[in-house]
Amino acid sequence: MEDGISDYTQDGTVDLKGNPILRSKRGRWRACSFVVVYEVFERMAYCGISANLILYLTKKLHQGTVTASNNVTYWIGTIWVTPILGAYVADAYLGRYWTFVIACAIYLSGMCLLTLAVSVPGFRPPPCHEVNIENCPKATTLESAVFYTALYILAIGTGGTKPNISTIGADQFDDFDPKEKAQKLSFFNWWMFSIFFGILFGNTVLVYIQDNVGWSLGYGIPTAGLALSIAIFLSGTPFYRHKKPAGSPFTRMARVIVAAIRKSSVPASTNLKDLYELDAEEYTKKGKFKIESTTTLRFLNKACVQTGSTSPWMLCSVTEVEETKQMLRMLPILVTTFLPSVMVAQSNTLFIKQGTTLDRSMGKHFKLPPASLGAFVTITMLVCVILYDRVFVKVIRRWTKNPRGISLLQRLGLGFVLHIIIMIIASITERYRLDVAKKHGLDQTGGQLPLTIFILLPQFVLMGVADACAEVARLEFFYDQAPESMKSLGTSYSMTSVAIGNFLSSFILSTVSHITKEHGHKGWIQNNLNTSRLDLYFAFLAVLSSLNFVFFLVITKFFHYKAEISDSMEVLKEELEGPKKMAYQVELADNKH
């Protein structure tokens, strides 16, 4: 009997019809190979669009610098908001597989329409070679509608694919089987490689094709690749393991808050006999953890005080209350991550626009696409992550006695400091670029400067270093500090930070542009960058970053890390700083490229 039971998966995975499955027939590496192939092409498609989008908006749709930059950050912000909805639909209703399949159809339709929008002459304005794009014909309502409809259909599609595809891959390994649990870590190694390969190809080959061959081919290649990868994923359906929808953590949190409000007149009790909680065995059966009551955010404790009602909107368990507390305690830290995401957004917008004014020649016949500088961010980040894990942590923990070397919030703060330095360097570099433009009489003509594009390399490389600290620490912090049953929601906090950061970037840029044009001034941000004052704008961002860092220091003084469930920090280190964490680190790179 025991042998018969061991032939089946023990983690609750089933086939599409809900039947138990034999571990020898489904899952593991055979199933994961289909998933990894999809991810290579998806990252290639997304990064091929996001890395060069600002140049298409300015050169082909003839938009101004401010308008184009804002449209890029609006779109990227939407890209990182929709996964929260996709995760909710998967967890609460459709499950990961069907949510992903439906989202793939939406994603592919968006890519097809986008390819048509850049290929069909009637869907874009006629070519214009004026230095001042204000003299170029603007896109018509139809042309703009087709292009933006395609972009936002694509954003809806990624909302269903981004949060579910990696989880589908992880579901192919049974954590209750020691051998498969070890294989899951190897899966994340391959997952990391697929993400990195897709990002690098999108930031180099695709943007080169877009700049030098044509946008039709530059978008057509990833569209065809995405269609092929979806077909490959679907062909692997007979081999997949599936997990049933288990309900959304948003609902559980809402119940706690509503119950506490409805019982606001009930006195909070510290007597465990007055509090509702399930038996420990109930949690053990479901592979979950019981959490003891704490005195923080005491108002929420009223949700678990027994008053006779058994309605889930009137009575919640102690564990559910504590899970909600853990998620709420992270909100102030989440707020401090918004402005750093604004700094990251510059590498996708104004930094790229700077590159269009500089000499991009590499030899006689090759010109480096400005968007390809983003590849240096990804490569630098990966190198720094390896050095951080293999060298820095081993050295520094001898003094700190912390298995991570430094705490997650310290690593996050280090990244914030680097963002300040990046903006200062960008301001100084821009000041030098403007001086050269004026010296050669190019400040009014808007011509290309006799300066190599590689003068921008320090700010891109440092952005990669900052990502290895701030971006990685942010994702790991929200994953680590979330309760065990709400890890996906914790990860969505990090996505929310990226989304709001991009929306905030648009707001700041528009506001600064408007204010600096008042009283007859020409403004800091012009379509002709050689007459703009991006140096002052970058300096302003450095000041905002400094103020945000001070706020971050104040907030962190009052933050208390959650109590570790495991009594071994080394076990936690293996789980979060091993291959699985590496995959999460590279996942964040794609929002910038």
Side-chain angles (χ1 to χ4, degrees):
M1 184 66 176
E2 290 297 321
D3 291 338
I5 293 176
S6 65
D7 290 339
Y8 290 87
T9 57
Q10 302 298 304
D11 59 354
T13 50
V14 294
D15 63 16
L16 276 178
K17 296 181 179 180
N19 301 316
I21 52 178
L22 291 169
R23 66 174 71 253
S24 61
K25 299 294 184 181
R26 291 174 179 263
R28 295 187 290 193
W29 288 114
R30 180 170 56 178
C32 285
S33 60
F34 299 97
V35 175
V36 170
V37 169
Y38 170 84
E39 188 63 12
V40 172
F41 285 96
E42 192 280 328
R43 295 301 169 194
M44 179 182 71
Y46 169 69
C47 293
I49 295 170
S50 61
N52 228 12
L53 182 57
I54 190 169
L55 296 191
Y56 185 84
L57 295 177
T58 53
K59 290 185 176 181
K60 299 301 180 180
L61 294 188
H62 310 146
Q63 294 182 357
T65 301
V66 174
T67 302
S69 297
N70 286 344
N71 284 331
V72 171
T73 48
Y74 285 144
W75 180 69
I76 293 178
T78 305
I79 284 285
W80 287 93
V81 162
T82 53
I84 300 173
L85 299 177
Y88 173 79
V89 171
D91 288 345
Y93 301 106
L94 299 180
R96 291 161 186 158
Y97 176 84
W98 288 116
T99 302
F100 176 80
V101 169
I102 293 171
C104 277
I106 298 172
Y107 196 161
L108 183 59
S109 65
M111 287 296 298
C112 291
L113 184 58
L114 191 64
T115 303
L116 288 176
V118 302
S119 304
V120 179
F123 287 160
R124 66 177 189 270
C128 178
H129 302 289
E130 293 282 345
V131 174
N132 188 353
I133 62 172
E134 292 181 355
N135 298 326
C136 293
K138 302 299 180 183
T140 65
T141 301
L142 174 63
E143 291 163 346
S144 296
V146 172
F147 186 77
Y148 286 114
T149 298
L151 279 183
Y152 283 92
I153 287 176
L154 193 153
I156 294 172
T158 58
T161 60
K162 190 181 290 291
N164 291 307
I165 183 62
S166 60
T167 318
I168 289 174
D171 287 346
Q172 306 312 307
F173 299 96
D174 186 354
D175 280 334
F176 288 86
D177 181 272
K179 184 178 180 180
E180 290 196 19
K181 186 172 183 178
Q183 289 175 336
K184 181 184 285 190
L185 297 180
S186 297
F187 159 73
F188 279 108
N189 271 329
W190 286 102
W191 187 254
M192 177 195 70
F193 177 79
S194 68
I195 292 174
F196 171 66
F197 184 81
I199 292 173
L200 199 59
F201 189 88
N203 282 342
T204 53
V205 177
L206 284 185
V207 297
Y208 177 81
I209 292 174
Q210 291 164 3
D211 281 4
N212 297 279
V213 180
W215 292 88
S216 299
L217 186 61
Y219 281 179
I221 290 175
T223 300
L226 184 66
L228 176 63
S229 66
I230 293 173
I232 292 174
F233 174 85
L234 292 175
S235 68
T237 298
F239 306 109
Y240 298 143
R241 300 174 183 176
H242 307 275
K243 286 191 175 180
K244 298 178 180 179
S248 172
F250 289 110
T251 303
R252 298 202 298 275
M253 291 179 63
R255 286 173 178 169
V256 170
I257 296 172
V258 169
I261 293 174
R262 293 176 68 179
K263 294 193 290 187
S264 58
S265 60
V266 175
S269 175
T270 57
N271 189 340
L272 296 180
K273 294 181 179 179
D274 297 332
L275 306 181
Y276 173 68
E277 180 59 292
L278 301 176
D279 294 333
E281 292 77 10
E282 292 294 324
Y283 292 104
T284 304
K285 290 177 182 178
K286 298 178 181 180
K288 296 181 179 181
F289 297 91
K290 180 180 177 180
I291 307 177
E292 300 297 330
S293 181
T294 64
T295 56
T296 59
L297 298 175
R298 293 186 63 183
F299 175 78
L300 294 179
N301 286 351
K302 297 183 178 185
C304 58
V305 175
Q306 301 185 79
T307 58
S309 174
T310 58
S311 168
W313 293 93
M314 278 292 289
L315 182 64
C316 304
S317 68
V318 171
T319 295
E320 288 175 327
V321 170
E322 292 304 318
E323 288 175 340
T324 302
K325 286 182 181 181
Q326 289 175 10
M327 298 305 298
L328 293 178
R329 278 200 299 263
M330 293 191 291
L331 290 180
I333 300 296
L334 175 62
V335 172
T336 67
T337 65
F338 294 160
L339 266 175
S341 292
V342 172
M343 307 305 125
V344 173
Q346 306 314 306
S347 64
N348 234 13
T349 53
L350 295 180
F351 286 3
I352 303 298
K353 281 293 293 180
Q354 282 180 293
T356 63
T357 69
L358 301 170
D359 182 11
R360 298 178 282 121
S361 300
M362 295 181 65
K364 294 183 178 180
H365 306 291
F366 181 78
K367 284 191 174 183
L368 182 74
S372 288
L373 287 177
F376 288 98
V377 179
T378 304
I379 294 172
T380 304
M381 173 188 168
L382 288 175
V383 171
C384 288
V385 163
I386 294 172
L387 291 176
Y388 184 92
D389 283 345
R390 302 301 179 186
V391 179
F392 177 80
V393 170
K394 291 182 179 180
V395 172
I396 201 69
R397 69 181 176 186
R398 295 176 182 174
W399 287 275
T400 64
K401 308 303 180 184
N402 186 330
R404 287 192 175 92
I406 57 178
S407 71
L408 292 175
L409 290 178
Q410 287 173 334
R411 186 176 181 180
L412 190 63
L414 179 59
F416 291 176
V417 171
L418 287 172
H419 283 144
I420 299 172
I421 296 173
I422 290 169
M423 287 302 117
I424 293 174
I425 291 176
S427 179
I428 294 172
T429 302
E430 177 64 9
R431 178 67 264 176
Y432 174 65
R433 192 189 69 81
L434 291 174
D435 288 341
V436 172
K438 187 174 183 179
K439 179 181 178 181
H440 288 82
L442 298 172
D443 50 339
Q444 298 301 322
T445 63
Q448 187 180 85
L449 277 63
L451 278 176
T452 175
I453 192 174
F454 289 108
I455 66 168
L456 302 179
L457 197 57
Q459 60 205 56
F460 279 93
V461 170
L462 276 178
M463 190 65 78
V465 179
D467 286 352
C469 295
E471 299 296 292
V472 171
R474 183 189 66 210
L475 181 57
E476 184 176 342
F477 172 81
F478 291 126
Y479 176 87
D480 177 64
Q481 291 301 298
E484 295 300 312
S485 64
M486 295 186 178
K487 293 297 187 185
S488 295
L489 180 58
T491 303
S492 75
Y493 272 23
S494 186
M495 295 182 181
T496 301
S497 172
V498 177
I500 294 180
N502 276 275
F503 292 138
L504 188 58
S505 177
S506 296
F507 172 77
I508 293 173
L509 184 63
S510 297
T511 303
V512 169
S513 176
H514 174 73
I515 292 176
T516 56
K517 284 182 179 179
E518 290 183 344
H519 308 298
H521 294 95
K522 65 179 183 179
W524 286 1
I525 298 97
Q526 310 252 340
N527 295 331
N528 177 5
L529 288 193
N530 293 347
T531 61
S532 297
R533 294 305 307 270
L534 288 184
D535 57 326
L536 297 180
Y537 182 69
F538 292 149
F540 174 67
L541 292 182
V543 172
L544 288 182
S545 293
S546 300
L547 295 175
N548 183 73
F549 180 65
V550 173
F551 176 60
F552 170 78
L553 293 178
V554 173
I555 291 297
T556 54
K557 291 192 72 173
F558 298 96
F559 182 83
H560 298 283
Y561 290 94
K562 74 171 186 178
E564 296 295 341
I565 293 173
S566 169
D567 59 1
S568 170
M569 282 294 290
E570 290 297 330
V571 172
L572 185 68
K573 179 176 183 294
E574 290 178 4
E575 292 178 352
L576 297 183
E577 295 191 351
K580 184 173 182 178
K581 189 192 75 174
M582 293 286 286
Y584 282 126
Q585 293 164 348
V586 184
E587 181 84 6
L588 261 290
D590 72 348
N591 79 88
K592 296 171 288 303
H593 313 300

